[in-house]
Amino acid sequence: MATGQPSWKWCSKCACLFFGGNAVCAAAGGVHDHLGSGTYTVSYKSDAPGQNQWKWCKKCQVLSFTGDGVGPCHAGGQHDVSGSGDYHLVQDSEGQTPWNWCNKCQGLAWQPGVCQAGGAHAFNGSGRYSICINGNPRAQANIGQDQWRWCKACQLLCYDGINSCAAGGAHISAGSGNYELTMGAPASGSTAQPGWKWCTKCYGLAYSKSASDGVCPRGGTHNHDGSADYALPSSGAPADGEQDKWAWCNQCQQLWYSGNGAGRCCQSPTGGHSKDGSGNYSLKMIPN
């Protein structure tokens, strides 16, 4: 029997539909801005060199030191490091320096940007940490986890693997409705099209029955491991509570809203999505 899953959002930058929230930035609100950042690799194996007890906060996506307690989180309360690996940072070694520990928010920052505890970061008592950038040095990168990026707004190192927008950085769902998708086989006689799946890398919804899995903004092709099979209505006028003009992009295979233009496609030579050959899909909207 088909069931509905809420919390799907439209990204105002790439126009795609994605699942999940955004990483909250302390600098003037909004999400972290990774424009201009390299991709950093942070070691997390137990035998990795350097200082451990660095943890990822699942609320703001920041890497913070937990050896002196858990610091304040701009997303509310304290950092939530449950489920995080135990990351290791090397001081004064190969890689890119100087990264510093902020003794107020416990985060790792490049410059005295906006601190989650208020004011600017305070680096008193910090060592000068080195982290691998873009896989260099490889000896340390091959035991690490990449997709960590510098936020130019708050200067912190933040994990960007939680979602990825083809227009750069994280998806922005401000102004989006809350969409509910049908999971499982469509009802008998339904015009809904099955075969739509969630990508575990970019969090977008992509059609899985094409000859190609589609190029993922995170790199490589979309990964549908663990995804439910979603069915989307694809013909006729939208019913009450539904929004049409959603289309399949024949380049990246993702679902995108075509009512505001072509959006941003990671596979297009001209930048925008293409709806050639697509049906007119309608999505159910529920109150936020």
Side-chain angles (χ1 to χ4, degrees):
M1 180 178 179
T3 58
Q5 182 186 51
S7 297
W8 287 86
K9 301 280 187 176
W10 162 77
C11 174
S12 62
K13 295 194 292 181
C14 68
C16 285
L17 193 75
F18 73 99
F19 185 72
N22 293 320
V24 180
C25 176
V31 297
H32 294 295
D33 184 350
H34 302 305
L35 186 64
S37 172
T39 299
Y40 294 89
T41 301
V42 184
S43 303
Y44 64 94
K45 288 191 176 181
S46 59
D47 59 350
Q51 180 190 52
N52 68 336
Q53 295 187 305
W54 288 87
K55 304 272 186 174
W56 159 76
C57 172
K58 66 172 62 174
K59 296 192 295 182
C60 68
Q61 310 300 327
V62 162
L63 190 71
S64 66
F65 184 64
T66 60
D68 292 331
V70 180
C73 178
H74 189 68
Q78 304 295 105
H79 291 303
D80 184 351
V81 297
S82 59
S84 172
D86 185 20
Y87 295 95
H88 295 236
L89 297 183
V90 176
Q91 298 188 41
D92 295 322
S93 182
E94 294 181 316
Q96 184 190 51
T97 58
W99 286 88
N100 293 277
W101 161 74
C102 172
N103 59 35
K104 296 196 298 181
C105 70
Q106 307 298 326
L108 188 71
W110 175 255
Q111 295 177 13
V114 178
C115 178
Q116 304 198 43
H121 293 300
F123 298 143
N124 295 339
S126 173
R128 293 166 65 87
Y129 294 91
S130 170
I131 53 178
C132 305
I133 181 170
N134 298 332
N136 182 34
R138 297 184 183 277
Q140 187 172 338
N142 63 14
I143 58 170
Q145 179 189 54
D146 66 355
Q147 305 305 338
W148 288 87
R149 298 181 190 271
W150 160 77
C151 173
K152 70 178 183 182
C154 67
Q155 301 296 325
L156 290 173
L157 188 72
C158 314
Y159 187 59
D160 193 36
I162 200 71
N163 54 41
S164 178
C165 177
H171 294 295
I172 295 177
S173 61
S176 172
N178 187 4
Y179 297 92
E180 182 177 280
L181 304 185
T182 299
M183 297 189 300
S188 178
S190 171
T191 61
Q193 180 190 49
W196 289 88
K197 296 197 173 185
W198 167 73
C199 173
T200 60
K201 296 194 294 182
C202 70
Y203 281 32
L205 191 72
Y207 187 60
S208 65
K209 301 297 184 182
S210 296
S212 168
D213 286 333
V215 175
C216 177
R218 185 86 281 152
T221 58
H222 294 298
N223 184 349
H224 302 306
D225 292 346
S227 172
D229 188 27
Y230 297 92
L232 304 182
S234 61
S235 64
D240 288 343
E242 291 184 343
Q243 180 189 54
D244 66 348
K245 297 185 179 179
W246 287 88
W248 162 74
C249 175
N250 59 25
Q251 299 167 132
C252 67
Q253 305 298 324
Q254 289 189 273
L255 187 73
W256 61 286
Y257 183 64
S258 64
N260 290 331
R264 179 70 175 91
C265 176
C266 63
Q267 183 63 3
S268 170
T270 59
H273 295 293
S274 171
K275 61 180 180 180
D276 291 347
S278 173
N280 179 25
Y281 296 93
S282 298
L283 300 184
K284 180 181 179 182
M285 298 181 68
I286 61 176
N288 284 311

